[in-house]
Amino acid sequence: MDGKLFERQLSHGSENEAPATFDEALNPQPPQQADVVQQVQMPDQLISQVPPELNVYPCEKSTPGGKEMAAAYEISKQLVRERLARENPEDLAILDGIKDTDIICVRGTYDHIHLVLEAIHIPFAHVNPGAILCMDLKPDQTVYVNCPSSFPPEVAHKLAKFVEGGGLLITTDWALKHVIEVGFPNTVKYSGTATRDEVVSVEIVDKEDDTLKGFLDQEKDAAPVWWLESSSYPIEVLDKRRVKVLVRSDDLKKRYKHDPVIVRFEWGKGTVYHMISHFYLQRSETRTKKQSASASSYASAQMVSEETVSKFKEYEAYTPGLSYGMVQSAATSSEFVSRCVVKQKKKATSFGK
């Protein structure tokens, strides 16, 4: 086994979540019963028969990045819900009506999208990649694929058919090579040069995609930044007509020759979003004085209610390290996840699905 590959696999992500062995990185094991907070069962109507080796993993009571980032995601729920309700109460009603049959979260090696979904109280089915082969995916569903160190090619091809039929697929980081390149060839690919562990400034390119609204409504002196975990995969766009760059970074361009942070492309009747690095951030690095300020100052800047600002202050009382920058990172990613789910349900309804 290539020693450099082994080192890279184990370094991608924070130290407290690094697998102990290469086998563990490739074949993550479900947590012990003591760590299970809830058993999310695969909905019966989605599958025919699942062999034991493709069994569903339970959700984990894990908090990579420590209590500060866990608190940031937990409190961001309140802010996101208030923003949605203020903008369009119908969207919040759609979000509240989501069932675990609507969202499939595919287990990966390093990212933890399920923790974002848990924090903002969106139900979902949590499965390992092989289980997808036994599922009857529907065009009104959303599938999230966590950053994987490997992925079955046949599952990538099935996900491509799912999207072609109208489904929404959202993937992160190494899924670029293991899922997108395999199932959606000639759209985007891994540039070939992995990143360091660093933070880059980002710019919103497509201001018409409403899933990005959380990134747009930020103060000018606290523009959002993006944490690139060690060995994240820069995105090279191959089909510039089909692929839309939604968020870009000059820092990425200077260091790795390619600037996309989040991209979107249509595939048949459906849509794919892919982003570099992870949804669930294990930490947040501040670049401005504003981002070092208190978490409650972020809530105030978002023009939310006094009740919500008070809840932020309560969290600050028992999580002293909770900062503006941490909550900003958690809230923007949580809002993106929420808006993607709502957008997919509205799309399906408009087509009578």
Side-chain angles (χ1 to χ4, degrees), residues 11 48 95 98 103 121 147 151 174 184-185 189 194 201 230 239 246 250 259 264 277 281-282 304 306 319 334:
S11 66
S48 51
L95 193 65
I98 294 294
I103 301 175
H121 293 189
C147 171
F151 202 82
W174 289 1
F184 306 87
K189 73 171 187 175
S201 58
S230 178
D239 188 339
L246 305 181
D250 276 334
D259 64 4
R264 183 194 72 223
S277 198
L281 302 178
Q282 281 93 66
V304 294
E306 283 300 320
T319 316
S334 296

Side-chain angles (χ1 to χ4, degrees), residues 160-200:
K161 290 182 180 178
F162 157 69
V163 176
E164 189 173 354
L168 173 62
L169 176 65
I170 302 172
T171 62
T172 65
D173 220 2
W174 289 1
L176 177 62
K177 183 174 182 63
H178 301 302
V179 179
I180 304 299
E181 288 186 23
V182 176
F184 306 87
N186 304 315
T187 54
V188 290
K189 73 171 187 175
Y190 168 40
S191 68
T193 302
T195 70
R196 299 184 297 274
D197 187 349
E198 55 195 314
V199 174
V200 298

Side-chain angles (χ1 to χ4, degrees), residues 68-69 72 283-284 286 291 321-331:
E68 288 85 4
M69 285 310 298
R283 64 171 171 79
S284 177
T286 59
Q291 288 166 333
L322 192 61
S323 69
Y324 183 117
M326 287 179 177
V327 175
Q328 182 186 45
S329 295

Side-chain angles (χ1 to χ4, degrees), residues 79-80 83-84 87 204 209-219 224 298 302 328 331-336 339:
L79 187 146
V80 171
R83 281 171 54 84
L84 288 175
E87 179 186 321
I204 312 304
D209 191 320
D210 55 12
T211 63
L212 301 177
K213 188 166 177 57
F215 294 98
L216 292 171
D217 293 345
Q218 303 298 315
E219 296 180 281
Y298 177 79
Q302 293 297 302
Q328 182 186 45
T332 50
S333 59
S334 296
E335 188 163 342
F336 178 77
R339 289 183 181 275

Side-chain angles (χ1 to χ4, degrees), residues 136-150:
D136 180 19
L137 297 174
K138 305 297 184 184
D140 65 341
Q141 291 175 300
T142 299
V143 174
Y144 291 95
V145 177
N146 281 296
C147 171
S149 56
S150 65

